[in-house]
């Protein structure tokens, strides 16, 4: 339906996922994971699953990012591998 | 080892992609999922339940027992977080700040404590001066976030959203309070006992609505049986609202419990 938007967001999803794996800074990984969730939320919204998009935005992009940041705050910020 | 894990990941991903090739196309009218039950829901949900949002009608009415156990799972997550992380041993080092001069005292003896009052305040180990901009902006934003969360819970049957989403938004408004001020400030307002009781009460409200429907002579979670009390009009929507409020209470409390336990390593004294 809106395939150019769909494609751009899909590319962003993959870029965020790969970046979250390769970035050494765990705080940055948490933020990238939030961005990934938000892009997934946009994809759900495009597919018409508004309830799922809402859940993804509040749980995936919102609270779970905060939990990751809290966990990083209590452990080390840099990863070794 | 790294190469081996890469091969395993690529193999699993390839298998998953190979598996998705057999799935029906997006929006395919002949997909198994849209042949049987979906049609019934789309045709009859509004007539059966008087709820325009079909997702909520399916989640909170047709499949309400399923949602009840999802709420129980969220409650169990909070409980597991509490049991794993909560640490009741008192901390040894205390830090006090003399407010008029800004001098910080480090008390290592747990038996000797400074009286906290107008002169001294109890501070965290990693203490930063409070930022006026952050505090003011968050203080102004939090009421709007909470009102929006209540709106999402209350309009779950008319618009996207519902108990889970509203509860998460309400919980994150409380987490924002802890981040912008400090953890002690949140715990002074919302005690641990209150959060525990709230999370259990949410599940209890959900199950209670089901059990009372049984007492009134119907099946478990049969909202129609409440008609003599609340009237015939939109009785199923009203039942769903009650259930969503229970879900929202449980989810709010569990989100805050998980956050507090993670960020303070279970000590509930200092953190982000």
């Amino acid at each position: 339906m809106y395939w150019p938007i769909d494609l751009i967001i899909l590319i962003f999803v993959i870029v965020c996922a790969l970046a979250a794996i390769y970035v050494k800074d765990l705080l940055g990984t948490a933020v990238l994971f939030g961005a990934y969730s938000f892009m997934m939320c946009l994809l759900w919204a495009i597919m018409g699953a508004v309830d799922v998009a809402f859940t993804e935005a509040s749980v995936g992009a919102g609270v779970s990012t905060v939990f990751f940041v809290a966990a990083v705050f209590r452990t080390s910020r840099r990863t070794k591998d | 080892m790294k190469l081996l894990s890469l091969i395993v990941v690529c193999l699993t991903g390839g298998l998953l992609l190979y598996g998705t090739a057999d799935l029906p196309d997006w929006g395919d009218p002949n997909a198994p999922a849209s042949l049987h039950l979906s049609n019934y829901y789309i045709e009859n949900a509004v007539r059966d339940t008087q709820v325009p949002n079909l997702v909520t009608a399916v989640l909170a009415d047709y499949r309400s027992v399923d949602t009840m156990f999802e709420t129980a799972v969220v409650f169990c997550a909070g409980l597991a977080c509490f049991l794993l992380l909560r640490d009741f041993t008192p901390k040894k080092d205390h830090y006090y700040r003399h407010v008029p001069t800004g001098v910080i005292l480090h008390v290592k003896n747990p038996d000797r404590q400074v009286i906290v009052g107008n002169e001294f305040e109890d501070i965290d180990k990693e203490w930063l001066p409070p930022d006026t901009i952050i505090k003011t902006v968050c203080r102004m934003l939090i009421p709007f976030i909470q009102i929006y969360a209540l709106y999402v819970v209350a309009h779950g049957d008319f618009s996207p959203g519902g108990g889970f989403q509203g509860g998460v938004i309400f919980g994150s408004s409380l987490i924002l309070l802890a981040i912008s001020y400090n953890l002690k400030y949140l715990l002074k307002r919302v005690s641990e006992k209150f959060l525990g009781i709230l999370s259990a009460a949410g599940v209890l409200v959900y199950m209670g609505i089901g059990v009372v429907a049984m007492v009134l002579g119907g099946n478990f979670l049969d909202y129609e049986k409440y008609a003599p009390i609340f009237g015939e009009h939109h009785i199923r929507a009203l039942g769903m609202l009650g259930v969503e409020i229970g879900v929202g209470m449980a989810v709010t409390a569990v989100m805050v419990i998980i956050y507090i336990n993670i960020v303070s390593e279970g000590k509930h004294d200092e953190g982000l």
Side-chain angles (χ1 to χ4, degrees):
Chain A
M1 192 159 37
Y2 309 112
W3 72 266
I5 306 175
D6 224 353
L7 191 67
I8 292 168
I9 293 173
L10 197 60
I11 289 170
F12 268 123
V13 167
I14 294 169
V15 167
C16 284
L18 287 177
I21 294 173
Y22 284 109
V23 168
K24 299 270 182 203
D25 184 0
L26 287 177
L27 189 66
T29 306
V31 174
L32 277 166
F33 201 66
Y36 168 86
S37 286
F38 191 72
M39 292 298 157
M40 282 306 289
C41 153
L42 290 181
L43 273 185
W44 297 126
I46 288 173
M47 285 190 268
V50 194
D51 273 272
V52 184
F54 202 164
T55 314
E56 183 81 40
S58 56
V59 179
V63 163
S64 71
T65 309
V66 176
F67 289 165
F68 281 132
V69 171
V72 171
F73 177 73
R74 279 298 168 194
T75 51
S76 66
R77 189 168 163 180
R78 305 279 302 176
T79 170
K80 287 190 186 68
D81 55 3
Chain B
M1 198 62 212
K2 229 174 173 180
L3 188 73
L4 190 72
S5 51
L6 186 71
I7 292 171
V8 170
V9 166
C10 286
L11 206 67
T12 318
L15 278 175
L16 280 174
L17 282 178
Y18 176 72
T20 51
D22 278 347
L23 291 179
D25 273 348
W26 179 65
D28 185 6
N30 292 318
S34 24
L35 281 180
H36 307 286
L37 270 175
S38 298
N39 294 333
Y40 176 82
Y41 290 146
I42 291 167
E43 283 161 15
N44 299 309
V46 176
R47 188 166 48 80
D48 284 354
T49 63
Q50 300 103 37
V51 167
N53 186 359
L54 299 186
V55 179
T56 306
V58 172
L59 282 179
D61 198 337
Y62 293 109
R63 293 281 175 267
S64 49
V65 178
D66 191 275
T67 313
M68 184 182 85
F69 283 105
E70 270 178 48
T71 317
V73 165
V74 172
F75 172 70
C76 288
L79 193 66
C81 216
F82 173 82
L83 291 175
L84 281 175
L85 293 173
R86 188 73 173 101
D87 182 4
F88 286 104
T89 53
K91 63 172 177 177
K92 289 195 179 107
D93 292 14
H94 286 268
Y95 293 83
Y96 298 97
R97 180 172 171 269
H98 188 233
V99 181
T101 56
V103 176
I104 290 173
L105 300 177
H106 180 188
V107 181
K108 286 187 179 172
N109 189 348
D111 299 329
R112 300 186 59 179
Q113 293 191 4
V114 178
I115 299 158
V116 178
N118 292 328
E119 292 273 305
F120 287 95
E121 62 175 351
D122 197 0
I123 61 168
D124 294 356
K125 194 179 170 192
E126 297 104 354
W127 183 80
L128 289 170
D131 192 314
T132 316
I133 296 175
I134 294 176
K135 272 188 169 180
T136 313
V137 169
C138 290
R139 203 172 57 214
M140 281 159 63
L141 267 179
I142 285 168
F144 289 103
I145 297 175
Q146 291 181 341
I147 289 287
Y148 180 61
L150 295 179
Y151 167 85
V152 170
V153 173
H155 288 70
D157 33 359
F158 298 106
S159 58
F164 277 100
Q165 293 92 328
V168 168
I169 296 171
F170 204 95
S172 40
S173 79
L174 295 177
I175 293 173
L176 182 64
L177 188 70
I179 291 175
S180 58
Y181 285 70
N182 53 43
L183 200 61
K184 290 192 190 76
Y185 191 82
L186 173 68
L187 283 169
K188 232 184 279 171
R189 273 148 188 76
V190 189
S191 70
E192 188 190 7
K193 197 187 245 176
F194 174 76
L195 287 172
I197 290 173
L198 190 69
S199 64
V203 183
L204 202 67
V205 164
Y206 203 131
M207 294 190 178
I209 286 174
V211 170
V212 170
M214 277 172 86
V215 171
L216 292 172
N219 290 324
F220 190 64
L221 286 167
D222 187 2
Y223 310 130
E224 299 252 311
K225 291 292 172 286
Y226 286 96
I229 305 170
F230 296 105
E232 285 283 338
H233 187 62
H234 282 210
I235 186 63
R236 297 199 86 90
L238 214 60
M240 280 181 225
L241 177 67
V243 159
E244 301 267 20
I245 289 171
V247 175
M249 281 159 64
V251 173
T252 304
V254 165
M255 289 300 143
V256 181
I257 287 174
I258 293 178
Y259 174 77
I260 292 174
N261 277 315
I262 287 180
V263 86
S264 67
E265 289 178 335
K267 288 197 188 307
H268 286 218
D269 49 10
E270 56 186 54
L272 269 182

